[in-house]
Amino acid sequence: DTGVSQNPRHKITKRGQNVTFRCDPISEHNRLYWYRQTLGQGPEFLTYFQNEAQLEKSRLLSDRFSAERPKGSFSTLEIQRTEQGDSAMYLCASSHVGFEQYFGPGTRLTVT
Amino acid sequence: KQEVTQIPAALSVPEGENLVLNCSFTDSAIYNLQWFRQDPGKGLTSLLLIQSSQREQTSGRLNASLDKSSGRSTLYIAASQPGDSATYLCAADDYKLSFGAGTTVTVRA
């Protein structure tokens, strides 16, 4: 198993554009999480899935954000009408229920 | 809402010295406490996970303790090396992780 992977690793976009990120979890993990990290801060929880069900969304996840995990495998995080405040590192993690979370390398988003 | 605090924010030590990193959390109803390492511009590497029923966990030169009732965890790194320079993050796990801002460690050769 190669661990959690995320694509793209870097994304530069203009304000107002839509972007989509992909996360491929460790294959046998049934939980998948999205976090966002800004410079000098720890990651903040955005949302998580158990299999294909999205069980919780943070208040940080405005209506412009949507996440999916079709068939309980990979997940996508889409941001519509990006704003400069969306610039951050977006991190994905996966785990078995109640066990250690393993993180991917992240997608760094820059909104110009 | 879980609040996690890490003290100190930064630490610089000479090679060979032992490191002590502190983490406190406000809500003791957690499943686990997890420690991570993050290198600049990179993702998080899991170092240790302490289950709520455990008092400590060890891996090589790393030892982490957990006092759930007082809302505290400490990460000890023995005989520090320049390669230990990184930011260390603790996270309280109540099915989602709540992170502190991290302690940035510099080990001087």
Side-chain angles (χ1 to χ4, degrees):
Chain A
D1 191 354
T2 56
V4 179
S5 61
Q6 292 186 247
N7 288 289
R9 297 290 306 277
H10 303 274
K11 179 72 177 179
I12 300 173
T13 191
K14 293 185 177 178
R15 187 167 55 93
Q17 298 294 305
N18 299 343
V19 294
T20 299
F21 310 141
R22 177 178 170 128
C23 171
D24 287 272
I26 293 171
S27 57
E28 64 269 26
H29 285 174
N30 53 7
R31 283 212 173 160
L32 186 148
Y33 308 79
W34 286 98
Y35 295 85
R36 180 171 69 186
Q37 185 178 26
T38 54
L39 202 61
Q41 300 299 315
E44 295 175 293
F45 169 79
L46 293 178
T47 188
Y48 86 101
F49 294 82
Q50 182 157 321
N51 301 314
E52 65 274 12
Q54 187 173 19
L55 297 187
E56 184 173 335
K57 292 168 55 172
S58 162
R59 281 171 289 181
L60 293 174
L61 217 61
S62 75
D63 291 344
R64 298 184 297 105
F65 288 71
S66 62
E68 294 183 340
R69 192 184 183 196
K71 303 179 182 177
S73 56
F74 70 91
S75 176
T76 58
L77 178 68
E78 181 184 16
I79 309 174
Q80 296 183 327
R81 304 181 303 283
T82 52
E83 301 173 356
Q84 287 189 321
D86 297 331
S87 295
M89 176 81 90
Y90 290 83
L91 295 161
C92 175
S94 70
S95 74
H96 290 297
V97 175
F99 286 83
E100 195 168 1
Q101 291 189 28
Y102 292 90
F103 279 76
T107 294
R108 180 167 297 283
L109 173 66
T110 302
V111 181
T112 62
Chain B
K1 180 186 178 233
Q2 182 74 267
E3 301 286 345
V4 179
T5 303
Q6 290 189 248
I7 294 172
L11 192 56
S12 178
V13 299
E15 183 176 4
E17 193 162 302
N18 297 334
L19 292 164
V20 180
L21 309 180
N22 297 299
C23 171
S24 62
F25 48 96
T26 55
D27 186 349
S28 62
I30 62 170
Y31 297 124
N32 306 305
L33 192 291
Q34 201 166 350
W35 282 93
F36 294 89
R37 169 186 172 135
Q38 187 172 35
D39 293 293
K42 306 292 186 183
L44 278 65
T45 301
S46 179
L47 297 174
L48 289 167
L49 178 140
I50 314 173
Q51 295 178 341
S52 61
S53 58
Q54 296 178 312
R55 299 284 291 183
E56 66 179 288
Q57 191 67 255
T58 298
S59 176
R61 295 184 294 111
L62 275 59
N63 174 275
S65 66
L66 175 63
D67 184 342
K68 198 176 138 182
S69 60
S70 67
R72 285 188 283 193
S73 178
T74 302
L75 178 67
Y76 302 90
I77 303 177
S80 61
Q81 303 168 357
D84 294 329
S85 298
T87 296
Y88 292 82
L89 295 154
C90 73
D93 182 358
D94 55 4
Y95 72 84
K96 63 182 185 292
L97 296 179
S98 298
F99 285 86
T103 295
T104 299
V105 171
T106 302
V107 180
R108 307 186 304 272

